[in-house]
Amino acid sequence: MASDAELEAIGEAVADLEDEAVEFLREMVRTPSVNPPGDYAAIVDLLAARYEEYGWDVEVEHAPEALVEELDLPHPRPNVLAYVTRGTGPTLALNAHIDTVPVEASNWTHDPFGGAVEDGRLYGRGARDSKGRIAAYTLAARALEASGLLPEDATLVLALTADEETGGEAGAGHVVESGALEADYAIVEGSTYAVEYASSGVLTLRVDVEGASAHAGLEPEEGANAVVAAARLVDALDAHGDDLAARESSIPGVGSATCTPATIEGGDATNVVPPTCSFTVDRRVPPDHDAAAAEREVREVVADADLPAGTSATVTALSRTKAFRSDPEDPHVRAVAANAERVIGDVPVRGTRGGSDAGHFHAGGTKAVKFGPGGRDSNVHGPDENLALDQLRDAAVVVAASVRDVGREEA
């Protein structure tokens, strides 16, 4: 474990570099990288230029065109690998994603791409998820450099990946599966209110319903209403979600499996019986549950539903984010937990229902843990998303000390 003197030196370096980190976060928030559509050129240019200024070795790893086409993505998928130091010992990755969810600006009281700082909080889309994590991990690495406490023999890399919000196949999935990054340990985007060693997988499905159009006033009986059929399917899947509430994970913090109908669109005009309707489903799969069985159950609910005559439904998997589970006694989990307790106080060590790219790293043999800046009051994915700057500082100190501990212990 980092000594008291080392922890103090890291804390002082973080304090000295805080203004730089806050301004960096503001620049990132002011550089939209909304997914979809996932146009990442500007944010990647910003990251690469900044890290090259620091003297870090920057690689931009693109997902292959064949994968981009297979996933029907409108833009290339670049991933930034910024090597702070390279050594012959273990490789430690700090992973956050460069994409953000979309914005409904009318619901905001702050400019979602303004990066305003008010009462100790920075506001904007991505302020917490996940540009705030990028800022914290960058600050941690800079503080280790400034304090002379980088692990001597370890490799430290910031792995800033694409498309986490939509499954990450062309982001962390590609980076890991292609062998572009082979990390022994990874600290993956998380929060300051828990050290999370497990998380659920996320199965995202689209249900497409087909019927037949007809004039809604003159001859509605000649049509087959796809919206009515979709409504029955939504009800059936919502009931399936109620049943899943009894299927609790054995891992503290993960909770139960879930099934949530999410978005819906359909119909052509008010006076036309709708011939099509589509909706999406979010299915959470705890790491101690069977992901294939979970998908099979959703498909069975759809297949068994009582639909109106002349309508039919098909199910397509849009993404399958993998679950992950580390041993809470692994050195990387123990290091983060111990340093979080020293810096923040009583921080629980548990799992989470939320998905992340940790599943991709775990599937590739990397031991992962989730931790980073952000509290429950950050309004992540919502209007006025924000990050408390004291959480940015605390997370940077915890991450830096943990990198020091794991890199030294395993070297």
Side-chain angles (χ1 to χ4, degrees):
M1 181 182 294
S3 68
D4 290 343
E6 289 173 334
L7 191 64
E8 182 179 357
I10 289 170
E12 290 175 353
V14 164
D16 290 342
L17 293 164
E18 180 184 355
D19 289 347
E20 172 187 285
V22 171
E23 186 55 36
F24 182 36
L25 178 53
R26 297 184 77 187
E27 289 182 63
M28 287 190 284
V29 168
R30 291 168 178 167
T31 307
S33 51
V34 171
N35 178 28
D39 183 355
Y40 304 131
I43 190 66
V44 167
D45 286 347
L46 171 63
L47 294 169
R50 178 60 53 91
Y51 295 149
E52 286 170 355
E53 287 178 11
Y54 295 159
W56 298 350
D57 183 9
V58 178
E59 299 175 5
V60 178
E61 172 65 28
H62 283 83
E65 289 184 11
L67 179 59
V68 172
E69 291 177 3
E70 176 188 338
L71 297 173
D72 195 26
L73 301 174
H75 300 284
R77 270 13 191 200
N79 300 277
V80 176
L81 303 177
Y83 287 85
V84 182
T85 183
R86 294 181 189 260
T88 57
T91 295
L92 292 83
L94 304 179
N95 168 246
H97 55 92
I98 60 177
D99 60 321
T100 73
V101 297
V103 168
E104 176 51 64
S106 63
N107 295 329
W108 288 63
T109 62
H110 296 80
D111 180 352
F113 301 112
V117 176
E118 184 178 302
D119 297 328
R121 293 179 177 272
L122 192 151
Y123 289 83
R125 177 58 83 225
R128 175 183 169 186
D129 188 19
S130 195
K131 293 173 180 179
R133 281 80 172 250
I134 295 174
Y137 296 162
T138 302
L139 178 55
R142 292 277 286 161
L144 285 169
E145 284 187 316
S147 60
L149 293 174
L150 278 170
E152 294 179 3
D153 298 318
T155 293
L156 176 61
V157 55
L158 273 66
L160 311 179
T161 50
D163 286 4
E164 188 272 347
E165 298 292 0
T166 52
E169 286 93 337
H174 163 68
V175 167
V176 172
E177 291 172 15
S178 68
L181 175 60
E182 297 179 350
D184 298 289
Y185 299 96
I187 298 176
V188 180
E189 57 153 358
S191 66
T192 49
Y193 58 77
V195 176
E196 295 164 338
Y197 64 87
S199 69
S200 290
V202 185
L203 175 62
T204 305
L205 303 164
R206 187 184 69 239
V207 181
D208 296 307
V209 184
E210 292 191 1
S213 62
H215 195 291
L218 297 179
E219 48 189 19
E221 68 279 358
E222 297 297 320
N225 196 314
V227 168
V228 171
R232 294 185 187 181
L233 290 168
V234 168
D235 283 345
L237 288 166
D238 186 50
H240 179 55
D242 291 341
D243 293 339
L244 291 175
R247 300 189 197 175
E248 287 280 338
S249 170
S250 63
I251 304 168
V254 172
S256 68
T258 65
C259 182
T260 307
T263 65
I264 190 167
E265 59 181 358
D268 297 325
T270 305
N271 60 351
V272 177
V273 174
T276 60
C277 187
S278 297
F279 64 94
T280 58
V281 179
D282 178 294
R283 174 68 162 87
R284 300 285 159 145
V285 186
D288 51 349
H289 291 194
D290 186 329
E295 181 172 344
R296 189 164 56 249
E297 287 179 342
V298 172
R299 293 180 181 275
E300 289 171 354
V301 170
V302 172
D304 293 344
D306 180 20
L307 301 184
T311 64
S312 62
T314 58
V315 180
T316 302
L318 300 180
S319 64
R320 299 179 178 93
T321 300
K322 299 176 176 69
F324 96 98
R325 182 180 187 177
S326 289
D327 187 331
E329 294 303 316
D330 278 345
H332 67 303
V333 180
R334 289 191 288 105
V336 175
N339 286 307
E341 183 176 4
R342 296 170 77 190
V343 174
I344 300 170
D346 185 17
V347 178
V349 181
R350 65 186 191 198
T352 177
R353 186 183 285 159
S356 75
D357 283 331
H360 291 296
F361 283 93
H362 178 75
T366 300
K367 295 182 176 180
V369 63
K370 286 167 56 68
F371 185 81
R376 293 183 180 87
D377 54 355
S378 296
N379 210 24
V380 62
H381 286 196
D384 290 332
E385 178 181 349
N386 66 86
L387 180 65
L389 298 180
D390 59 345
Q391 295 168 354
L392 174 69
R393 294 191 299 270
D394 288 347
V397 175
V398 171
V399 169
S402 301
V403 168
R404 171 72 173 168
D405 290 344
V406 176
R408 180 166 51 187
E409 182 175 334
E410 294 297 304

